[in-house]
Amino acid sequence: MDSQKAAQRVGLASDTIVIHGGKPLTGRIEVRGAKNLVTKAMVAALLADDPSTLKSVPEISDVHVVRGLLEAHGVVVTEQAPGELLLDTTNVQSAHIAEINAHAGSSRIPILFCGPLLHQLGEAFIPDLGGCKIGDRPIDFHLNALRALGATVEKLDDGIRLTAPNGLSGARIELPYPSVGATEQVLLSAVRAKGTTELKNAAIEPEIMDLIAILQKMGAIISVEPNRVIVIEGVEKLHGYLHSAIFDRNEAASWASAALATRGDIVVGGAKQQELMTFLNVYRKAGGMFDVLEDGIRFWHPGTPLRPVMVETDVHPGFMTDWQQPLIVALTQAEGQSVVHETVYENRFGFTEALNEMGADIVVYKSGIASITRRVPRRPLEQAAVITGPTPLHGADVRVPDLRGGFSHLIAALAAEGTSTISNVGIISRGYELFIDKLEQLGADFELA
């Protein structure tokens, strides 16, 4: 149901696509603002007493979810131009639980509304959270941070109610893991708290840095210090911002992997080298070619055999967990044995079952694999996948399980010989803008069922 809703939000005519594979993807597509920044930037607008303007906003389902939640809280959202939103927060108000639930079922973003709403209204409500089923993403990090800042947390049957009768105050907070979401929570909650907040073991992803840049434009005082420490000096008021969002490096890496898997040649307009350096190193080691252009990056398969690689996912500046899923499809065509150590989420290899049905040889080790060459410390929840190739892929009927896994199934179907029917594709629209249009631009052979 969530998949169909997501498809409808972006005008996708069908939730099923039939792909006739075996044809290289060639051409140019554009990527716009990062899903993992744009949705948070929209929430940040709640902290201001006057309007904000956000540019390079992608046409994805998650943006529609956040827009709906903002509008439920009295924010007037206007599309001034394609990809440009005006967010008028002059009349923020409490939303009815029914309205919040109507939008929040397919997104985990509502929890980030807490800090801004506590500042503006003195209370906030979080429904049961949705999102992709890729592992246990506890909200304890978020709630503990909010408690440390002075919020009172009350667990109800249908969600969680937060209040801050005395307002929020600065605190010393150390995260048990450099969680992106919890770091965003602290930033959005501490910027208008009384006093100074010191956050240790913070995430430092490019999207986090872009959010800090937005908050600084709004009048916040935030210092990024060595060893993952962020210091936030609270201010009384913030004003609106004008900002163009950082590009979506997850989408860029996904299309790069599609070029490699289909033996294609794709220019990803808007992609930038600096934020993709870790990915580009692995891409090159696997035998992929790329050329950094002034306005994007060209990715292509050189026609020579691909090489196996060993990958360990990690927080930035490590190899992103979102990058491994599409890359694994390309690694099924490498000559030899590749190993991917997943150290961020415990259920991120569920998508490989469908790849094996399509002819891949992927073995998942539920407790990971010890290795003397490891650089990322072993974590209790980690898993490992061993991909042996090359194995020809063939068409199959596949149901999309989650966002990144779903795009990986698309890539596999495009690389496979024969016809594949992929259902539940609305989930892909949560994070991939106009992916059907882009498939057309790259010459894919498909139809919507």
Side-chain angles (χ1 to χ4, degrees), residues 306-322:
L306 300 182
R307 299 183 290 270
V309 293
M310 195 276 280
V311 175
E312 302 167 73
T313 67
D314 201 4
V315 294
H316 187 78
F319 192 92
M320 282 193 73
T321 178
D322 289 322

Side-chain angles (χ1 to χ4, degrees), residues 359-376:
D361 181 354
I362 304 172
V363 179
V364 174
Y365 293 84
K366 299 286 187 183
S367 301
I369 300 175
S371 169
I372 58 172
T373 60
R374 289 285 300 274
R375 299 179 66 179
V376 178

Side-chain angles (χ1 to χ4, degrees), residues 262-321:
T262 67
R263 305 179 71 85
D265 188 334
I266 300 174
V267 175
V268 181
K272 294 182 180 177
Q273 177 184 11
Q274 187 168 335
E275 291 81 2
L276 287 170
M277 278 187 166
T278 306
F279 176 81
L280 294 175
N281 285 336
V282 174
Y283 196 79
R284 179 170 281 161
K285 286 180 183 178
M289 301 290 285
F290 64 88
D291 189 12
V292 179
L293 312 174
E294 283 192 8
D295 61 347
I297 303 177
R298 176 191 169 205
F299 297 94
W300 75 96
H301 189 298
T304 51
L306 300 182
R307 299 183 290 270
V309 293
M310 195 276 280
V311 175
E312 302 167 73
T313 67
D314 201 4
V315 294
H316 187 78
F319 192 92
M320 282 193 73
T321 178

Side-chain angles (χ1 to χ4, degrees), residues 337 339-340 342 346 349 362-370 381-387:
Q337 209 167 65
V339 182
V340 176
E342 172 57 54
E346 69 269 35
F349 288 135
I362 304 172
V363 179
V364 174
Y365 293 84
K366 299 286 187 183
S367 301
I369 300 175
L381 53 68
E382 74 172 44
Q383 294 186 318
V386 176
I387 306 103

